[in-house]
Amino acid sequence: MAPLGGRERGVEGVVDACCGHALLGLGLCERGARTLAIDRSAAECERALENVDRARKVVGDDVASRVEIRLGDGLGECPEARDADVVVVAGVGANTMAKVLESGGLGLCSSADERSTSPSTARLVLNPPAKDGAATRRWLAENGWTIRDEKLVVENEIMHLVVSAERDAEIDTPSSMPLSVRDEIIGPVLGEGTASESPLLKLYVTKRLEWLREVRRQASLSAQRLAKKQEKSDSEYQSVEALKEKIAGYDEMESVLLAAIGVDVEEQRRNAHAHLEQQILRSYDGFDLKPGILAYKTVDPEESDGRLAYCREFLSESEASELMSSLVSSPPVDWAQRSIVCWQPQENTKKEVVQPRLVSWAGDIAYKYSGQTLEPVPVPDVLRRLQTKVEQVTGERFNHILLNRYRDGSDSMALHADDEPELGRNACIAAVSIGHVRRFDVQLKSKAKKKMSIFLENGSLMVMDRSLQHSHYHGVPKVTCAQDVEGERINITFRLLKGPPGWRED
Ligand SMILES: O=C(O)CCC(=O)C(=O)O
Ligand SMILES: [Fe+2]
């Protein structure tokens, strides 16, 4: 085969670096090009040779003689690639593609020497899977190539990208401007299109969004997990910071992708907020709510007389935020993540588990629950005042305060009943919530499907009384919606312990 270089008039010299069965190369030759088709797999090369033979019979010697099949790994042993008009890398992911191109000296030239001997390849045509689009564009920009054209194609139900790029004039520096977020994840050419007019582009953007949301979810879970570790090494602190930076980048990418399919991020945020507000209001059905007034509702009248009461704006916003800062910044109580003993129904055994939240307590009397005993500690003034206010509104008396601090949406409290013997029968439990709104589930013990939920807002008071602890479980589930995972909440529960641990009502 004649050398590919020299830019033979009217004949394009192509190197197909991962040729597989060489169908692409043959197609190009049929259109008048000359192709050197390389593959690292001997089996693929054999198939390719069979296809060349077949082509010879069907379309003639002229076409078949313009393709050469060669066994080889990458472009390292392919001097022809240096002055080919076009180098094609198709059907491999961005990492392999980068290795193949770099093996042929098509990456960035870092020294003057390299520059003087660098290949004169004019154009790259790359065909990665669509999911590798951003990595491909990043490699091109970092290695001195400018994207001239991009197309989306679907083959065997997999979406691929075809990118055509030309050498920048300055091949010793990466493209002077770093790629914008849009140019990297959607592409400079595809980004010019309107998703509403191109179903394929819309699908591409939607798939990117799905991927992005998943990686962001994983990153924020890792960040939360690390941030919650009580003793962190320096590198763990750095990882939390790095993850936070990544998450901010993902948020920016999400806005760009949403804009490309005509979604206004601010509007979406407003809609999500309005949706949550609606859910919150709907959860108050059956309560005759007036701000500052405690409204009672019998949860399942046909099953028990257990009641739930709710009061919005029991504390004003400023009272709630003052209380929050006094409990968090210079806490008058000691926060700890404790281990409790839990029944594991699957294994039919008891097991020690770490509570997914911080707890603290104060009171005049010890409290025993879930295999642990909380020794009495003096009630700080700020909580003593709150207790008085709760006692006034509920008409009840309390002597023990248990505080639960949910650092974010991944902290939770499993379904349980506060039915310890020391609380006596039909205990009244009152709880003030401050900070992020959280859903509170109440479920009939005898019928798991019978469940109600009520959202406990900042500054609210909730009361459970009569037989509710005997007929129902309650709990605070994890928040699954990505938007809502941030946000701290503290719940301050007031109980009346009738006696020390071991006390029982006659
Ligand atoms: O955080 C909450 O709202 C629930 C607290 C609770 O159920 C408890 O402390 O027993
Ligand atoms: Fe409880």
Side-chain angles (χ1 to χ4, degrees), residues 220-238:
S220 63
L221 284 176
S222 310
Q224 281 167 14
R225 222 173 288 129
L226 267 181
K228 277 180 196 170
K229 267 189 81 174
Q230 270 164 359
E231 292 198 0
K232 287 188 273 291
S233 64
D234 277 358
S235 73
E236 283 169 331
Y237 272 113
Q238 280 160 16

Side-chain angles (χ1 to χ4, degrees), residues 402 404 406 413 416 418 440 456 474 476 489 491 493 495:
L402 180 63
N404 292 292
Y406 303 85
M413 185 180 286
H416 67 282
D418 297 316
F440 182 79
L456 304 180
H474 59 269
V476 179
R489 165 183 186 254
N491 185 256
T493 65
R495 298 147 207 259

Side-chain angles (χ1 to χ4, degrees), residues 277-289 295-299 308 310 312 452-455:
E277 285 285 302
Q278 261 182 6
Q279 274 188 310
I280 293 175
L281 286 181
R282 221 175 299 130
S283 81
Y284 303 148
D285 275 358
F287 288 95
D288 185 14
L289 289 189
Y296 285 87
K297 171 177 156 174
T298 306
V299 177
L308 196 78
Y310 188 62
R312 293 183 98 177
M452 62 126 3
S453 299
I454 179 168
F455 282 86

